[in-house]
Amino acid sequence: MTVVQGTRPRVNAGRLNAHIAALGDIGRGPGGGVTRLAFTAEDVQGRAYVAGLMLDAGLAVEVDAAGNLIGRRRGDDGTAPALVLGSHIDTVVNGGAYDGAYGVLAAVEVARVLHEEGVRLRHPLVVVAFCDEEGAHGTMGMLGAHGFTGALPPGFGDERDSRGITIADLLAAVGGDHRRLDEAAWTSDEIAAYLELHIEQGSVLERLGVPIGVVESITGRLNLTVTVEGVAGHAGTTPMEHRVDALDAAARVLLAVRSIAADEQIVLRATTGTCSVEPGMWNVIPGLVRLGVEFRDVTASALDDAVARLGELAQEIAKATGTQIEIGLGARTTPVDCHPALRDLIARCAAELGLGSHRLPSGAGHDAQIVARIAPIGMIFVPSTGGVSHAPDEHTPPDQLAQGADVLLSAVLQLDGGW
Ligand code: GLV
Ligand code: MN
Ligand code: MN
């Protein structure tokens, strides 16, 4: 490492913020929100923009078979494992400009500063924009990160999204290839550490007035599909006491889901995020309802406890309403801890930059939790104004974005020197 005390490089705050604004304009809707769902034309355009920035930063650019956009910088030691930095650039529907994009663009900025300042590293540096973190159109979410860690099952690709398009076709649209997924997989000995910088997406740091968050653990997440079967019928002629209304029962399920977190506190968070009603007409009593439910907690057993409790409550609701209720288990991500040494390193880097830090869990999911299968992970948070995220008003002040990126840069330099 050629950096000596007193000449510590810093990120270019103006350039970083300009890049965030420019990427945020790709997929920007009339109300100011950003819709850049994975695999769409907007995603392709965003990826091309980031690939250009990676080239400007002196990185060699490639897209792996799992659709991850990767920029690589060689290290002086040909045998040293890589320092990997990453996040995602896909968004939710009508989301913000910072979730994921900030982490990727800050990582590219770190690489660019190292490039411009001629700083040589012993380790290779790898920047990854992971594919489909958000789970566009009902896809699994963190799809690229699963591919990166070799966690996709053999033959993966035949599954379809909610529009009926196969994953194989989706991957092909961004330069991936489901037939070569094994080539996307990294192994533990190839990665020294993984760091992800992200907006907090909550209000803890802002309330405390602390600029840097040191993530201790990342929430686990379990998706369920609750199917409620009633009896469709005429909305005008069927007396109220003779109805078996699937939506009526589903509404009770929704309240039960909420109570499992809010009242019974079995899990930290419980959300019903989707609801489809069949046949879905004003004048027909709903015959079939599907609810998309999600539980989150930092303890894996709490997720199982929540499912068991929902099963009990669903049975009671089915009995009371004359419906049939089935609970189907969907995607699950296990809660993970960030590596203790990386937590300490991040706090130290912040302190050396004169920045206060606070340790906190992450209630949002991140690519880091998948990468944790094969590498030590560390996560840095910066405050989110008003705690808003997954919404158009997502915001972090520009100076705080630069501070987080400086901590990332500093952590890279210290990791390269040994940790
Ligand atoms: C990630 O975006 C999440 O939903 O936590
Ligand atoms: Mn998100
Ligand atoms: Mn994110």
Side-chain angles (χ1 to χ4, degrees):
M1 188 174 65
T2 57
V3 177
V4 290
Q5 209 65 26
T7 60
R8 193 197 300 270
R10 293 286 178 98
V11 300
N12 181 326
R15 182 168 63 196
L16 171 62
N17 280 285
H19 291 164
I20 293 170
L23 182 56
D25 281 342
I26 302 174
R28 175 102 51 202
V34 184
T35 302
R36 204 169 49 243
L37 295 184
F39 312 112
T40 60
E42 292 78 17
D43 187 29
V44 170
Q45 197 186 336
R47 293 161 63 96
Y49 174 69
V50 174
L53 296 180
M54 285 177 165
L55 290 172
D56 293 343
L59 299 170
V61 179
E62 70 193 76
V63 176
D64 73 11
N68 299 308
L69 173 64
I70 299 181
R72 292 179 194 250
R73 178 182 206 261
R74 294 166 73 92
D76 283 348
D77 178 348
T79 63
L83 299 173
V84 181
L85 314 179
S87 198
H88 59 99
I89 68 155
D90 61 307
T91 71
V92 295
V93 174
N94 204 25
Y98 301 86
D99 175 3
Y102 167 52
V104 171
L105 294 173
V108 175
E109 174 61 27
V110 164
R112 178 131 174 204
V113 170
L114 297 174
H115 183 57
E116 285 176 347
E117 308 250 336
V119 179
R120 300 176 68 126
L121 298 181
R122 189 169 80 76
H123 296 77
L125 184 71
V126 175
V127 177
V128 188
F130 286 105
C131 181
D132 191 22
E133 193 268 357
E134 301 284 11
H137 296 295
T139 51
M140 65 185 285
M142 301 189 201
L143 193 154
H146 279 85
F148 190 82
T149 56
L152 293 176
F156 184 78
D158 294 338
E159 302 75 5
R160 291 174 189 273
D161 74 4
S162 56
R163 301 161 303 174
I165 304 175
T166 64
I167 302 289
D169 286 344
L170 292 173
L171 280 174
V174 293
D177 183 349
H178 75 292
R179 292 161 304 189
R180 296 189 296 106
L181 280 173
D182 52 323
E183 293 172 24
W186 290 56
T187 53
S188 304
D189 52 351
E190 293 175 300
I191 304 179
Y194 172 81
L195 292 178
E196 183 164 349
L197 172 63
H198 206 282
I199 55 166
E200 182 200 330
Q201 305 179 275
S203 58
V204 175
L205 296 176
E206 187 186 46
R207 275 191 280 113
L208 294 174
V210 174
I212 298 298
V214 180
V215 179
E216 298 196 296
S217 55
I218 306 175
T219 187
R221 197 160 79 171
L222 178 59
N223 296 336
L224 311 165
T225 303
V226 181
T227 308
V228 184
E229 212 179 319
V231 181
H234 198 291
T237 59
T238 315
M240 297 311 284
E241 67 274 22
H242 290 161
R243 296 177 180 221
V244 186
D245 182 333
L247 188 55
D248 173 347
R252 300 180 201 204
V253 171
L254 184 148
L255 293 175
V257 166
R258 186 190 146 75
S259 74
I260 286 170
D263 305 324
E264 301 189 35
Q265 298 181 3
I266 296 172
V267 270
L268 288 171
R269 307 276 189 263
T271 308
T272 302
T274 66
C275 174
S276 74
V277 181
E278 291 179 22
M281 296 190 68
W282 296 97
N283 54 0
V284 185
I285 297 163
L288 187 79
V289 174
R290 281 194 195 84
L291 300 177
V293 171
E294 191 204 66
F295 291 127
R296 294 192 187 210
D297 204 282
V298 289
T299 312
S301 59
L303 299 173
D304 298 318
D305 294 345
V307 176
R309 181 65 180 138
L310 182 60
E312 289 168 8
L313 293 169
Q315 249 183 11
E316 289 171 19
I317 294 166
K319 204 164 156 213
T321 57
T323 55
Q324 295 207 345
I325 304 182
E326 264 180 37
I327 299 175
L329 295 181
R332 178 183 186 125
T333 50
T334 32
V336 299
D337 288 335
C338 292
H339 195 285
L342 292 175
R343 293 186 223 169
D344 292 347
L345 172 77
I346 292 164
R348 206 166 56 241
C349 290
E352 285 171 10
L353 288 161
L355 302 169
S357 66
H358 174 76
R359 295 180 186 234
L360 75 176
S362 172
H366 298 287
D367 295 301
Q369 72 195 100
I370 307 303
V371 180
R373 294 166 188 225
I374 58 165
I377 60 156
M379 280 202 77
I380 306 162
F381 275 175
V382 294
S384 288
T385 306
V388 175
S389 187
H390 282 186
D393 286 344
E394 208 173 64
H395 181 256
T396 300
D399 58 326
Q400 293 187 337
L401 293 168
Q403 287 168 347
D406 273 329
V407 172
L408 182 66
L409 171 58
S410 175
V412 166
L413 293 172
Q414 298 219 15
L415 279 172
D416 194 56
W419 52 299

